[in-house]
């Protein structure tokens, strides 16, 4: 469908009333044709989604995709329906425009004369142009060639952000070539141009209607500085009074420390005293019993772990609290998976936890570390919170640190609560292997 065209558009539009009505009808018809194309496109979109469009192939659409296409088509049809209502109103209005013109009415009374009687002594219809002494003013592009301005008038650049005439037609040495005003007068083929700039005005002319121009001539530019006069130098004046003493200058930096003097000669060594007599050797004592073998001294190994929850969630009573944050694990003696911490056997560990949760129960809540191998709470690992007070603030935090010795085999432990609570993301636990136990 091509773009609509309105005929007979020129500086003087000569459309009749009948032509205007016909153009309105044509515009309505063109809009209806455009809506018909849109409706046809929506139908082809549905055919493509259902796989019934000829010449199109592809994987079958899912039910969700078909529903999305149906929703999109419904929205487009709603828009078309509203446009149809507007076109219907437009059509009714256009058809009600009367096209038959009645007879010309009688001429009205002549109006009172205007305030202007004559212009430059001329009466009646006066055309203001250069022949009447009126210079037209026009805005031109800053990059326009000044050679093209041959008709009388005043021309000025339209911007101060461009580069000025690009063909070199502006006067040389102008500070701002993009900002210019040009006065042009013409008598026959003799054309004169006056260019206003800073720091001078420039003038040039053409005797063949602007086909060739003379050079720009500066007007009023400052001349060069004259030579220095040759008069005799006057006598030297008397010496002025001595000025006041200036302020004391800043103290200079301390000089470098001098070299250390030479070390004096060492004094004479005194005489060695006489050696005393050696005492008698005592009898050898009885050998005591051998002490028990001490524990292995390899403490503070490189096996350690630190992990945080990072998210808050409700935890049921007597359930391992999961830790969702990234774990920092060094060594191979400690690991974590699914809320359980696995420890090597026959080891000594320092276990510390910080637990923050919301206690909405009416009783105290106790947190502890459970040894899953024996399904029992590790003694000393309990930390108890108070029940909510009368102010209704249930947010509590507890912490605990213990030293725990594992049994001979690998041991799994976990952090639990004896009542359900919302455990926050600030809960953390750290485990440090202190060393091995003696077998």
């Amino acid at each position: 469908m091509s773009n609509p065209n309105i005929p007979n558009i020129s500086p003087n539009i000569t459309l009749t009333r009948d032509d205007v009505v016909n153009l309105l009808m044509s515009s309505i018809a063109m809009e209806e044709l455009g809506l018909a194309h849109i409706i046809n496109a929506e139908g082809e979109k549905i055919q493509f989604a259902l796989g019934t469009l000829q010449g199109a192939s592809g994987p079958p659409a899912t039910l969700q995709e078909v529903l999305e296409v149906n929703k999109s088509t419904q929205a487009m049809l709603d828009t078309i329906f509203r446009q149809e209502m507007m076109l219907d109103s437009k059509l009714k209005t256009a058809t009600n425009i009367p096209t038959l013109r009645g007879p010309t009415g009688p001429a009205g009374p002549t109006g009172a004369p205007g305030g202007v009687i004559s212009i430059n002594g001329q009466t009646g219809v006066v055309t203001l142009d250069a022949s009447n002494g009126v210079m037209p003013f026009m805005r031109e592009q800053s990059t326009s060639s000044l050679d093209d301005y041959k008709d009388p008038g005043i021309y000025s650049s339209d911007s101060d952000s461009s580069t000025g005439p690009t063909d070199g037609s502006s006067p040389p040495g102008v500070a701002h070539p993009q900002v210019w005003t040009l006065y042009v007068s013409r008598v026959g083929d003799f054309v004169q141009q006056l260019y206003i700039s800073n720091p001078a005005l420039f003038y040039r002319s053409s005797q063949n209607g602007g086909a060739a121009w003379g050079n720009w001539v500066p007007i009023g530019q400052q001349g060069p500085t004259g030579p220095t006069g040759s008069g005799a130098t006057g006598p030297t004046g008397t010496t002025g009074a001595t000025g006041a003493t200036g302020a004391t200058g800043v103290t200079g930096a301390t000089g470098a420390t001098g070299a250390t003097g030479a070390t004096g000669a060492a004094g004479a060594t005194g005489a060695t005293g006489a050696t005393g007599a050696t005492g008698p050797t005592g009898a050898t004592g009885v050998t005591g019993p051998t002490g028990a073998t001490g524990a292995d001294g390899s403490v503070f190994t490189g096996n350690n772990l630190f992990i945080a929850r990072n998210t808050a969630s409700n935890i049921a009573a007597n359930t391992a609290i999961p830790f969702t944050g990234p774990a920092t694990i060094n060594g191979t003696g400690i690991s974590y998976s699914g809320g359980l911490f696995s420890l090597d056997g026959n080891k000594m560990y320092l276990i510390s936890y910080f637990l923050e949760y919301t206690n909405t129960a009416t009783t105290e809540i106790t947190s502890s570390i459970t040894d899953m191998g024996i399904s029992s709470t590790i003694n000393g690992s309990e930390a108890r919170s108070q029940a909510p007070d009368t102010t209704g603030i249930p947010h509590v935090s507890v912490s605990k640190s213990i030293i725990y010795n594992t049994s001979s085999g690998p041991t799994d432990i976990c952090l639990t609560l004896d009542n359900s609570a919302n455990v926050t993301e600030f809960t953390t636990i750290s485990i440090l292997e202190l060393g091995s136990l003696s077998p």
Side-chain angles (χ1 to χ4, degrees), residues 338-361:
L340 298 180
F341 299 89
S342 296
L343 311 178
D344 284 348
N346 288 326
K347 300 287 185 172
M348 178 187 297
Y349 292 93
L350 172 62
I351 304 174
S352 301
Y353 68 85
F354 173 82
L355 184 60
E356 184 180 73
Y357 56 88
T358 302
N359 182 3
T360 58

Side-chain angles (χ1 to χ4, degrees), residues 46-123:
I46 295 175
Q47 287 179 315
F48 179 82
L50 297 177
T52 60
L53 183 63
Q54 294 183 358
S57 61
T62 63
L63 176 59
Q64 182 62 32
E65 291 174 339
V66 172
L67 292 176
E68 289 294 329
V69 171
N70 183 68
K71 183 178 179 181
S72 172
T73 302
Q74 180 64 40
M76 180 57 70
L77 290 178
D78 289 343
T79 302
I80 293 173
F81 176 73
R82 288 191 291 271
Q83 184 65 21
E84 285 288 353
M85 295 177 65
M86 295 178 63
L87 290 178
D88 179 71
S89 175
K90 182 177 178 181
L91 180 61
K92 289 179 180 179
T93 302
T95 55
N96 290 330
I97 297 176
T99 58
L100 297 177
R101 181 177 300 178
T104 303
T110 303
V116 179
I117 300 175
S118 66
I119 300 177
N120 292 343
Q122 303 180 63
T123 61

Side-chain angles (χ1 to χ4, degrees), residues 102-414:
T104 303
T110 303
V116 179
I117 300 175
S118 66
I119 300 177
N120 292 343
Q122 303 180 63
T123 61
V125 178
V126 179
T127 302
L128 300 179
D129 55 19
S131 62
N132 296 321
V134 179
M135 299 285 282
F137 178 83
M138 286 162 282
R139 285 283 186 184
E140 303 291 338
Q141 292 185 356
S142 300
T143 57
S144 301
S145 174
L146 302 183
D147 295 341
D148 297 334
Y149 300 111
K150 309 166 188 175
D151 297 325
I154 303 173
Y155 307 88
S156 181
S157 59
D158 62 349
S159 174
D160 61 351
S161 60
S162 60
T163 58
T166 57
D167 61 348
S169 58
S170 59
V174 176
H176 305 286
Q178 72 274 22
V179 181
W180 51 266
T181 300
L182 192 68
Y183 291 82
V184 181
S185 66
R186 180 165 182 165
V187 178
D189 288 336
F190 196 93
V191 185
Q192 300 180 89
Q193 291 185 344
L194 180 64
Y195 182 98
I196 299 178
S197 70
N198 184 19
L201 307 180
F202 292 86
Y203 166 86
R204 72 173 181 176
S205 63
S206 171
Q207 299 181 11
N208 52 10
W213 293 92
N215 295 328
W216 289 103
V217 178
I219 301 175
Q221 186 174 9
Q222 182 178 354
T225 303
T228 303
S230 57
T233 303
T236 303
T238 58
T239 302
T242 302
T245 303
T248 303
V250 179
T251 303
T254 303
T257 303
T260 303
T263 302
T269 304
T272 303
T275 302
T278 303
T281 302
T284 303
V286 180
T287 302
T290 303
T293 303
D296 188 350
S298 56
V299 297
F300 294 104
T301 66
N303 296 323
N304 54 77
L305 171 146
F306 176 83
I307 190 170
R309 274 180 54 78
N310 278 2
T311 56
S313 63
N314 288 320
I315 304 299
N318 301 317
T319 302
I321 298 176
F323 288 78
T324 58
T328 300
I329 302 177
N330 296 308
T332 59
I334 307 172
S335 62
Y336 172 78
S337 176
L340 298 180
F341 299 89
S342 296
L343 311 178
D344 284 348
N346 288 326
K347 300 287 185 172
M348 178 187 297
Y349 292 93
L350 172 62
I351 304 174
S352 301
Y353 68 85
F354 173 82
L355 184 60
E356 184 180 73
Y357 56 88
T358 302
N359 182 3
T360 58
T362 59
T363 61
E364 299 176 343
I365 294 180
T366 301
S367 60
S368 61
I369 300 175
T370 300
D371 187 331
M372 301 302 294
I374 60 177
S375 299
S376 178
T377 298
I378 298 175
N379 290 331
S381 65
E382 301 90 341
R384 182 173 293 107
S385 69
Q386 295 181 352
D389 55 26
T390 57
T391 61
I393 302 176
H395 202 70
V396 297
S397 61
V398 295
S399 61
K400 196 73 172 182
S401 295
I402 63 169
I403 294 179
Y404 184 58
N405 299 331
T406 58
S407 58
S408 59
T411 302
D412 291 338
I413 64 172
C414 63

